[in-house]
Amino acid sequence: MSSLVMRRSFGLRFVAIAFAVVASIGLGLAQGDKAAPKAAGNKYIGADKCKSCHSSETSGNQHGKWLATAHAKAFEKLGTDEAKKLGKEKGVDDPQKADACVKCHVTAFGVAATELKAKPEQLKNVQCEACHGPGENHMKARFAAAAAAGDNPDTSKRQVVPEGEIKVEVEPKDCKVCHNDQSPSFKPFCFHERLEKIQHYDPRSGNKVESPLTACPCDDKCECKKGACAKLPQKQ
Ligand code: HEC
Ligand code: HEC
Ligand code: HEC
Ligand code: HEC
């Protein structure tokens, strides 16, 4: 469990898992293997698929919020004069055609074709699955749950997504796959400050970004030190 963000759903999720375990014991464990999501065969499906379920305001409109971030235009950015100038310094003619640039400006770069359900065209830009991993199993499970819930689902509560169905906790190291000094325009990366800019929490979850002022201990390991800890009263 990441301590970098305030997640209130953990308790709830734990209770739900405990309930599911008790329920499956009740059923003589017959459902046990069905309940476990299979990691194998989980493919990248592209952000357009997530859009169908993640664009309502009630649940936080993750797709709309993502569209408004630089991540959603990261590939187009490689076609700008600014990019061509940066490219030239690296001996690159067309950044949109050079792996040396494309690798951090698209989703699932370098992933085997057998693990992609979406076409490369549909995986341009830094999409949901760049941070949350492949979403095929999650999509299938949620469509099945929606079908089971019938015509009048209770949208006041969030559905409980079993652990492992999709990657939920995204940590600083997941961002630093791209936000590192291999980027020709690298700027120091303070996770909490950056997360604030791209956050897309569901208002019903109660989760929120913890302020770097309280989340980040003012020691040598804190990368937010310059920005955040400078604002704190210094310990004697
Ligand atoms: C697959 C690579 C990749 C990953 C993973 C990634 N980013 Fe980015 N990020 C980019 C690129 C490329 C840009 C620049 C896009 C542009 O300017 O067009 C960017 C831009 C940003 C910006 C906008 C900067 C600005 O000044 O407007 C923020 C904020 C940001 N990222 C936060 C994050 C956070 C937080 C994470 C992890 C939770 C993350 N990123 C993960 C590639 C990535
Ligand atoms: C290691 C990953 C990585 C590689 C490789 C990479 N970029 Fe980026 N790029 C990023 C990230 C992350 C950002 C966002 C910068 C930030 O906010 O720190 C970015 C931002 C940009 C921007 C927006 C300007 C800015 O300051 O935000 C341009 C233009 C750009 N990259 C062009 C290129 C070009 C051209 C190449 C190839 C020569 C390239 N990038 C290679 C990760 C990468
Ligand atoms: C740059 C990385 C990044 C991208 C792109 C991204 N997310 Fe997230 N997402 C995160 C992080 C970080 C969290 C917070 C994780 C935590 O609280 O531990 C999160 C949380 C969530 C949550 C949980 C909300 C809650 O209230 O707990 C949902 C749902 C979600 N993302 C869906 C999406 C969808 C759908 C897209 C694409 C339209 C998307 N995300 C794109 C990084 C990303
Ligand atoms: C068929 C509908 C559907 C599709 C398609 C879908 N989701 Fe979800 N997703 C849900 C539901 C339902 C939840 C549970 C929260 C709720 O009730 O809104 C959820 C929750 C999540 C969570 C948070 C899980 C948690 O435990 O807090 C993430 C992250 C997420 N989705 C990402 C994605 C991404 C990324 C995609 C596309 C690759 C996607 N979703 C596609 C319906 C869907």
Side-chain angles (χ1 to χ4, degrees):
M1 206 46 48
S2 164
S3 61
L4 296 155
V5 285
M6 312 233 304
R7 295 191 66 85
R8 287 198 210 130
S9 59
F10 179 58
L12 269 178
R13 195 181 304 166
F14 183 75
V15 169
I17 290 168
F19 178 78
V21 168
V22 171
S24 61
I25 290 168
L27 294 170
L29 288 172
Q31 307 283 319
D33 43 357
K34 262 194 205 161
K38 277 197 200 128
N42 196 8
K43 294 181 183 167
Y44 288 82
I45 57 177
D48 272 355
K49 299 281 189 217
C50 320
K51 186 181 175 183
S52 50
C53 301
H54 287 282
S55 41
S56 109
E57 289 303 332
T58 326
S59 54
N61 189 8
Q62 285 83 23
H63 190 270
K65 284 192 186 131
W66 167 74
L67 269 186
T69 66
H71 284 150
K73 296 180 193 75
F75 184 77
E76 280 80 59
K77 188 52 88 48
L78 290 181
T80 61
D81 288 345
E82 185 190 7
K84 282 176 189 141
K85 207 172 143 232
L86 274 178
K88 221 169 203 169
E89 289 160 19
K90 300 263 166 189
V92 165
D93 273 344
D94 182 352
Q96 283 185 323
K97 295 204 175 100
D99 284 358
C101 306
V102 169
K103 63 178 184 180
C104 302
H105 287 251
V106 298
T107 304
F109 179 86
V111 169
T114 49
E115 287 170 45
L116 307 178
K117 193 126 201 177
K119 299 189 183 84
E121 273 295 306
Q122 297 164 317
L123 291 169
K124 281 178 178 169
N125 304 311
V126 180
Q127 304 186 0
C128 322
E129 291 167 297
C131 296
H132 292 290
E136 185 187 27
N137 288 351
H138 168 65
M139 178 178 71
K140 284 184 178 162
R142 290 311 110 202
F143 271 129
D151 289 341
N152 295 303
D154 178 3
T155 53
S156 65
K157 287 193 229 73
R158 300 184 79 213
Q159 283 177 30
V160 176
V161 172
E163 207 86 51
E165 182 179 293
I166 186 154
K167 183 175 164 65
V168 186
E169 276 128 42
V170 185
E171 298 170 49
K173 66 171 165 47
D174 300 315
C175 314
K176 288 177 190 168
V177 171
C178 302
H179 288 269
N180 62 50
D181 60 12
Q182 299 296 301
S183 155
S185 60
F186 176 64
K187 298 171 198 76
F189 189 81
C190 169
F191 180 70
H192 305 89
E193 288 169 7
R194 298 293 191 115
L195 187 57
E196 188 69 59
K197 289 194 183 169
I198 63 145
Q199 71 89 10
H200 40 268
Y201 284 110
D202 181 335
R204 300 168 304 167
S205 76
N207 293 327
K208 58 180 185 194
V209 184
E210 206 172 342
S211 159
L213 287 171
T214 50
C216 212
C218 289
D219 60 21
D220 293 340
K221 285 184 218 132
C222 179
E223 292 180 54
C224 304
K225 201 173 175 183
K226 280 195 192 100
C229 294
K231 295 178 208 148
L232 287 175
Q234 294 299 305
K235 282 204 190 106
Q236 295 304 309

